[in-house]
Amino acid sequence: MTDLIPELTPTAANSNALTADTPIMAFAQLQLADPIAKAVAEMGYETMTPIQAQAIPVVLAGKDVMGAAQTGTGKTAAFALPLLQRMMKHDNPSTSPARHPVRALVLLPTRELADQVAQQVKLYAKYTNLRSAVVFGGMDMKPQTLELKKGVEILVATPGRLLDHIEAKNAVLNQVEYVVLDEADRMLDIGFLPDLQRILSHLPKQRTTLLFSATFSPEIKRLANSYLQNPVTIETARSNATASTVEQHFYSVPEDGKRHALHQILKTRGMKQAFVFVNSKLGCARLARSLEHEGLKTAALHGDKSQDERLKALESFKKGEVDLLVCTDVAARGLDIKDVPAVFNFDIPFNAEDYVHRIGRTGRAGAAGLAVTFVGGGNDARLLADIEKLIKTKIDLEAIEFDEDSPDIRKQGRINDGRRMYAQDENRGESGGGDNGRSGGRNEGRQGGRSEGRTESRGPRDDSTPRAPRREYSRPAQAPRDPFFDKPYEEPAAADVAAMPSWEASARPANRGISANIKPKRKVAALFKTE
């Protein structure tokens, strides 16, 4: 195995901190096993990215790694390829599940990211006998259980569903040799720390632990100190930095003008596809419906969607069947969709670190990208200041210029964004008095409506044209009112009461001078008689 491990550079051998100064190597220099090298060559990998060039030799040496890199720089290959290389000693064609225990565990925060990483691992290992599987929530456990029972060496999972399989005795982790925590900061943000602690308690003490993330917070460093043993810190970019290939713009736009600005930028730049990020699931669904009604092929991706719906939306976007993918931050982590030209922050993220992940969906693998953020009112100024502090860059707001011939979608009648908005009728009632004035105002208010279309098609009315006689309708005569119902209530006479049926007379309360609705006081036996 030692002949497969390239010699480490002096920096990696003598220090626990690596920087981007490490020279970039070619994949051919790694001396990977033939099945892995063949798969890598088929995928078109030639030159390693900085995070791959620094992390792969360290992982091959069996050391713990704490890696920080920008999104889209190939972190998946940085940990998957060396793990597969080290696990080739366990490669065997046996069909027995006992010969294929779980030896590598990869934990990720979201279902989409877990599915993406699992697909990449399968591509890397397709010429080997190493088995891999993915388990995440939102799906039936039975197919996942059957796959785990067959035996897998590489298990990709989200923490919640993995705990379900551990409790059901479907996943045995006592032979795990490698653990990968990818997007660890996101897992802590959404409250997975207790789940991570429970999962790590089921693993052997002697293992190699790899922690990768685009951002490093103090909480991440505390987690690394707890579960990593003398980790080698690899930083290929300044912490929380954005990619230099992404062009960033911040436009000052009122809340009701953001959709108009989105249309304007798409038209001006000639863009075919883009991510549109919002902060809430309800806002995501409403915005997707509005953009769909305005002629854009749109899909929504948020946490209330079923797993099948989320996967179908992603697949449609990858195939180019969808123009805009409106999503919450569930899609802001790690999703690798090639050639996405732009990202729109329709809402500024509440967490400044999410901004780094959002704009990382474009400009991947060194390609150019565009990130546009709409700044409105409310708390946007405070959230913008947080982003400015995080990325350590002065942000200048720009004013967007709308084309004169571009119709303002705010004046196209009702929009389906959860609020009823109608066009302002500036000329309501100015076309004359009486019925004609009201009709004119109504037609002008509903631009593009049926009333306006009929009025324009008929043309101006000629007063010399004789009008048809107007039909007169008369209301039907009302029936005479019975004066009996106008009389006040009168107590029936004693003779009338005597003539009443027995059941009706008994139901009538005795006239005690009080209301019949007031119940008499209940008589209760007393122990002592009082004078």
Side-chain angles (χ1 to χ4, degrees):
M1 184 65 190
T2 56
D3 58 337
L4 297 176
I5 303 175
E7 293 184 3
L8 298 178
T9 61
T11 306
N14 302 326
S15 175
N16 278 0
L18 293 179
T19 62
D21 297 333
T22 305
I24 298 177
M25 299 185 300
F27 280 96
Q29 296 178 268
L30 291 177
Q31 301 179 7
L32 297 173
D34 291 340
I36 302 176
K38 182 179 179 181
V40 169
E42 283 188 0
M43 298 177 70
Y45 291 3
E46 295 180 358
T47 304
M48 291 186 285
T49 62
I51 185 65
Q52 293 169 352
Q54 298 176 50
I56 290 178
V58 178
V59 178
L60 287 173
K63 294 185 178 182
D64 290 1
V65 171
M66 183 176 175
Q70 296 170 347
T71 56
T73 55
K75 292 195 298 292
T76 303
F79 65 76
L81 292 178
L83 292 187
L84 289 171
Q85 177 65 38
R86 290 183 64 88
M87 293 170 57
M88 284 300 294
K89 60 185 179 183
H90 302 296
D91 187 25
N92 66 86
S94 174
T95 58
S96 172
R99 299 291 303 274
H100 300 276
V102 179
R103 301 188 184 276
L105 176 63
V106 183
L107 295 176
L108 303 114
T110 62
R111 309 170 190 173
E112 289 77 16
L113 187 53
D115 184 61
Q116 175 182 294
V117 170
Q119 292 179 10
Q120 290 291 107
V121 171
K122 282 189 176 181
L123 291 177
Y124 297 146
K126 66 178 181 178
Y127 293 116
T128 71
N129 293 312
L130 298 175
R131 303 177 182 178
S132 62
V134 57
V135 295
F136 48 77
M139 305 290 284
D140 189 7
M141 285 185 61
K142 290 183 179 179
Q144 298 175 358
T145 300
L146 293 176
E147 195 167 5
L148 291 175
K149 294 293 185 182
K150 294 178 182 178
V152 293
E153 279 90 356
I154 306 165
L155 178 59
V156 183
T158 54
R161 179 48 61 93
L162 179 59
L163 282 176
D164 294 339
H165 284 289
I166 291 175
E167 293 174 356
K169 309 296 184 183
N170 297 329
V172 181
L173 307 178
N174 56 5
Q175 298 188 53
V176 171
E177 301 175 4
Y178 311 98
V179 178
V180 180
L181 304 178
D182 197 9
E183 301 291 350
D185 56 342
R186 181 61 175 170
M187 286 195 279
L188 296 188
D189 289 343
I190 57 182
F192 276 147
L193 181 58
D195 292 347
L196 288 177
Q197 292 172 339
R198 290 179 57 191
I199 292 171
L200 294 175
S201 66
H202 289 82
L203 306 180
K205 298 295 182 182
Q206 297 296 325
R207 62 176 185 269
T208 300
T209 306
L210 314 177
L211 190 149
F212 288 91
S213 177
T215 57
F216 273 167
S217 62
E219 292 79 9
I220 292 297
K221 294 180 181 178
R222 285 197 293 268
L223 178 68
N225 293 334
S226 301
Y227 294 102
L228 276 67
Q229 300 177 358
N230 298 321
V232 177
T233 303
I234 300 175
E235 295 189 53
T236 60
R238 178 170 53 86
S239 180
N240 302 322
T242 57
S244 58
T245 57
V246 178
E247 179 185 354
Q248 303 178 54
H249 292 277
F250 296 82
Y251 292 107
S252 179
V253 182
E255 289 294 331
D256 59 350
K258 289 184 177 180
R259 288 170 38 254
H260 190 195
L262 177 62
H263 281 269
Q264 175 69 24
I265 296 174
L266 290 175
K267 177 182 176 182
T268 304
R269 300 262 183 169
M271 295 176 179
K272 298 294 182 65
Q273 281 191 314
F275 280 102
V276 182
F277 284 102
V278 295
N279 286 342
S280 67
K281 294 179 282 189
L282 183 59
C284 176
R286 288 174 172 174
L287 180 61
R289 285 198 302 267
S290 299
L291 296 175
E292 186 76 27
H293 291 168
E294 291 159 9
L296 294 173
K297 296 179 181 178
T298 310
L301 182 67
H302 53 79
D304 282 348
K305 293 279 188 180
S306 67
Q307 187 59 33
D308 287 338
E309 291 174 327
R310 290 160 69 169
L311 293 177
K312 287 178 181 178
L314 281 175
E315 193 64 26
S316 299
F317 189 72
K318 290 179 180 178
K319 292 180 179 179
E321 300 172 356
V322 172
D323 299 330
L324 298 179
L325 186 62
V326 183
C327 47
T328 56
D329 287 315
V330 71
R333 300 286 179 137
L335 288 183
D336 186 12
I337 301 178
K338 297 180 180 179
D339 302 326
V340 178
V343 168
F344 290 89
N345 289 311
F346 200 84
D347 296 330
I348 300 181
F350 296 129
N351 188 355
E353 292 183 356
D354 287 336
Y355 173 79
V356 178
H357 290 279
R358 284 185 179 185
I359 69 173
R361 299 313 99 210
T362 184
R364 300 183 71 82
L370 173 68
V372 175
T373 303
F374 296 136
V375 183
N379 295 328
D380 284 1
R382 179 181 59 82
L383 298 175
L384 193 65
D386 294 340
I387 295 174
E388 195 174 47
K389 181 179 178 181
L390 179 73
I391 65 177
K392 296 179 175 61
T393 304
K394 178 65 177 176
I395 295 176
D396 296 324
L397 291 181
E398 306 174 41
I400 187 169
E401 297 180 0
F402 297 103
D403 294 342
E404 294 181 359
D405 58 344
S406 176
D408 190 346
I409 58 177
R410 293 175 295 174
K411 297 182 180 180
Q412 293 183 357
R414 180 175 176 178
I415 62 174
N416 191 13
D417 65 347
R419 296 169 294 179
R420 293 190 176 187
M421 298 177 61
Y422 292 88
Q424 297 294 331
D425 183 14
E426 299 176 355
N427 301 319
R428 182 182 297 275
E430 294 182 1
S431 59
D435 295 337
N436 292 335
R438 290 193 299 271
S439 176
R442 183 167 58 253
N443 291 337
E444 291 171 5
R446 300 179 182 176
Q447 295 184 13
R450 292 175 296 180
S451 300
E452 184 181 5
R454 288 197 299 269
T455 303
E456 293 180 353
S457 62
R458 291 176 183 174
R461 179 185 294 275
D462 188 0
D463 294 338
S464 62
T465 304
R467 299 183 180 182
R470 194 171 182 178
R471 286 178 137 186
E472 297 292 339
Y473 294 94
S474 59
R475 290 185 177 182
Q478 293 184 354
R481 187 175 180 83
D482 192 345
F484 172 79
F485 295 101
D486 296 333
K487 291 183 179 181
Y489 175 74
E490 298 178 358
E491 189 72 21
D496 296 335
V497 174
M500 287 183 181
S502 58
W503 63 83
E504 187 174 345
S506 60
R508 293 177 58 82
N511 188 7
R512 301 188 303 271
I514 60 174
S515 173
N517 296 323
I518 300 178
K519 295 182 179 181
K521 189 175 181 180
R522 186 178 180 184
K523 296 181 180 181
V524 181
L527 296 177
F528 302 100
K529 185 177 181 181
T530 57
E531 293 290 337

